[in-house]
Amino acid sequence: MTGMLASVNSVEEALQALSASVDIIDLKQPALGALGALETDLVKNIVDAIGGRCPVSATVGDLPMQPEIVYQAVKAMAETGVDYIKIGFFPGGDWQGTLEKLAALTQQNLALIAVLFADTQPDFAVIDLLKNAGFKGVMLDTMNKKNGSLTQVMTKTDIAQFVRLAKDRSMLCGLAGSLRLDDIAELMPYQPNYLGFRGALCLDHNRTAQLNRSSIMQIKQAIEHHQTENTENRILIADDSEINRLILANMLELNGYTVDAAADGAEALQFISENHYKFALIDLSMPIMSGLEMVRILRKQHNPLKTAAISTFTVDNQKTGALDAGFDYCLTRPIDEEQLMALLNLH
């Protein structure tokens, strides 16, 4: 599921966003930069006004990547009671030292969200470092709002890779950056956890202007529309190899499918319990729970989801065993794209 994040800068705007049933209310001051921060007293007032009716995130400002400065800002913002704290990872400075310093706060169960800036060509290798430091999530934004939206400054391939890397590490994943109504159709197939908006919700698309209720509702309805539409073409991949997941996901996404990926059978079953899928592509050999174990559980639950077992099938009776366990089809690795698309088009 992809939610809607709305950035606000006052109690009035927060209540307006709440009345529109947005999924996350994000607190920042657009006039002070890409991630301009609100005063902590105002943040506390907004948190009190929301009263737990919606998750609230807040930025700590456009700060230099100096460990002590960022640490103190995050610590102060945590005292306001927000659910998530967003930290911009700006070019230069001491990223490693900052992460090491912030790890002390994640160990106190603070939910930190790292913001990478698409227009600075971030190295996605940092996602592993963020995960190791205990960050709850990671998002893409844009630093220079004059360069256009996220979809104009980063390729589809890179956006898809970013979302896949974050999801594979069980991190919350957000996409933002001067997003407009037209960007929703392009970004929804990647299935981020949320899409973030500010300018598109304001009068005349001016991010420092007041929120406009009709614009908020238009964005909200567009996300819900594409959510329903994408469910009809949603595929689940279960494979313990990250490379195999990326190759297969890229193949499917280029053919218009929405993809979720799990690293083992147990995680795949969790995905199935939470979402509706057109088809599931399942590797037979996975740790924790194999593909055979997974599909047997699925059939005991009387789940009719169509499934295909994926393997090299070097053993003669392996395909028979997979079909007997409950798989509907078998696909031999390496996967033939034409054969896969023909199979999916049957359902």
Side-chain angles (χ1 to χ4, degrees):
M1 293 288 288
T2 297
M4 175 182 171
L5 176 148
S7 292
V8 306
N9 61 18
S10 67
V11 171
E12 293 74 21
E13 286 193 348
L15 293 176
Q16 190 175 3
L18 182 67
S19 70
S21 299
V22 304
D23 299 288
I24 302 176
I25 293 174
D26 179 55
L27 311 183
K28 70 179 180 183
Q29 180 50 269
L32 297 179
L35 296 178
L38 296 177
E39 296 291 336
T40 54
D41 286 346
L42 177 54
V43 172
K44 288 179 183 177
N45 291 340
I46 296 174
V47 170
D48 289 343
I50 296 301
R53 289 174 287 175
C54 178
V56 178
S57 64
T59 64
V60 294
D62 291 6
L63 302 176
M65 296 305 293
Q66 297 180 20
E68 188 62 28
I69 291 176
V70 176
Y71 174 86
Q72 292 299 334
V74 171
K75 192 175 179 182
M77 190 59 71
E79 295 176 359
T80 65
V82 295
D83 299 288
Y84 302 101
I85 301 172
K86 292 166 56 182
I87 303 151
F89 278 68
F90 291 88
D94 184 2
W95 284 32
Q96 183 61 46
T98 301
L99 285 174
E100 291 172 0
K101 188 78 172 176
L102 293 176
L105 296 179
T106 63
Q107 291 171 6
Q108 299 173 26
N109 294 321
L110 293 187
L112 306 187
I113 308 291
V115 180
L116 306 181
F117 296 100
D119 44 349
T120 65
Q121 292 77 51
D123 182 355
F124 292 161
V126 75
I127 294 176
D128 278 326
L129 299 178
L130 293 166
K131 176 67 175 179
N132 292 337
F135 273 63
K136 183 75 172 180
V138 59
M139 68 180 295
L140 280 178
D141 204 331
T142 54
M143 192 165 68
N144 188 339
K145 304 303 180 182
K146 296 180 180 179
N147 289 339
S149 72
L150 173 66
T151 58
Q152 294 172 297
V153 301
M154 181 168 276
T155 66
K156 293 180 179 180
T157 300
D158 284 344
I159 295 173
Q161 181 189 19
F162 169 82
V163 175
R164 183 67 47 213
L165 289 171
K167 285 194 163 188
D168 279 351
R169 286 148 183 79
S170 300
M171 298 176 74
L172 288 176
C173 173
L175 301 177
S178 299
L179 298 185
R180 297 202 172 197
L181 183 66
D182 292 343
D183 292 310
I184 295 174
E186 185 170 339
L187 296 175
M188 284 294 289
Y190 304 127
Q191 288 294 294
N193 294 106
Y194 59 88
L195 295 178
F197 299 87
R198 173 61 194 184
L201 309 180
C202 298
L203 294 169
D204 300 322
H205 285 82
N206 179 354
R207 65 193 298 266
T208 61
Q210 292 182 333
L211 293 188
N212 178 272
R213 181 171 176 78
S214 63
S215 297
I216 298 173
M217 296 308 301
Q218 189 177 31
I219 295 291
K220 176 72 174 173
Q221 289 165 7
I223 291 176
E224 291 175 347
H225 168 74
H226 288 287
Q227 193 89 263
T228 302
E229 188 177 74
N230 287 336
T231 298
E232 298 172 359
N233 287 313
R234 198 166 183 178
I235 307 294
L236 176 65
I237 298 170
D239 197 312
D240 61 310
S241 167
E242 182 178 351
I243 293 176
N244 288 343
R245 291 196 302 270
L246 288 171
I247 291 173
L248 193 50
N250 186 59
M251 185 187 299
L252 291 163
E253 287 168 349
L254 289 176
N255 281 277
Y257 288 98
T258 298
V259 179
D260 285 331
D264 59 70
E267 186 180 7
L269 288 175
Q270 183 63 36
F271 271 112
I272 292 169
S273 72
E274 297 172 351
N275 304 289
H276 175 76
Y277 293 98
K278 175 187 178 75
F279 212 95
L281 304 170
I282 304 166
D283 179 36
L284 285 184
S285 301
M286 295 183 289
I288 302 178
M289 181 185 291
S290 71
L292 287 175
E293 292 176 280
M294 174 193 162
V295 83
R296 288 190 183 109
I297 292 173
L298 204 60
R299 298 316 177 208
K300 284 182 180 179
Q301 296 172 344
H302 304 290
N303 191 313
L305 174 65
K306 294 297 181 182
T307 59
I310 298 177
S311 178
T312 53
F313 293 109
T314 54
V315 180
D316 292 339
N317 64 351
Q318 202 172 17
K319 286 188 178 181
T320 301
L323 295 173
D324 288 345
F327 280 99
D328 299 290
Y329 305 94
C330 293
L331 291 173
T332 302
R333 204 187 303 275
I335 303 298
D336 180 87
E337 182 174 351
E338 187 174 337
Q339 180 187 9
L340 175 59
M341 292 309 125
L343 176 59
L344 295 178
N345 287 336
L346 291 174
H347 300 281

